[in-house]
Amino acid sequence: MRKVPSAVIAAGGLVGGYGVARWSGKRQLGGVVLAAAGATAAREWRQRAGGTAAGVLTAAYVAAFAGSHPLARKVGAWPSVFGVAGAVALASWAVADRRG
């Protein structure tokens, strides 16, 4: 059975976390989704690309989450979330998923 690419997990965590928070009205619940996907992606990054790469990609994931907030004031919430999710997915693919 093929594994889900870590790029999909990371992007799904950012988009899913925001979606859950928005539609449920509970930011904490969105945070749980964001954190669970981030932890899963970090585990996959470590297995596929090593600890240093996992650390860098995890930092990018957290920075994307934080950066989506000020970006949303300029371009809107959903475009911001999709933009940062795409950036993290591309980085994840380039560093961890492309190899195998």
Side-chain angles (χ1 to χ4, degrees):
M1 183 159 104
R2 298 182 95 178
K3 287 189 170 192
V4 175
S6 62
V8 172
I9 297 167
L14 289 162
V15 173
Y18 176 69
V20 167
R22 180 164 180 147
W23 290 314
S24 72
K26 299 185 186 319
R27 293 176 66 181
Q28 298 86 353
L29 189 56
V32 169
V33 172
L34 179 79
T40 302
R43 187 185 73 234
E44 292 298 318
W45 293 327
R46 185 178 186 93
Q47 288 175 353
R48 296 175 189 185
T52 301
V56 169
L57 289 169
T58 300
Y61 184 81
V62 172
F65 167 70
S68 69
H69 292 83
L71 182 61
R73 288 193 267 286
K74 297 180 188 232
V75 300
W78 280 112
S80 173
V81 170
F82 285 130
V84 299
V88 169
L90 182 61
S92 180
W93 174 82
V95 173
D97 295 334
R98 170 174 61 151
R99 301 174 195 207

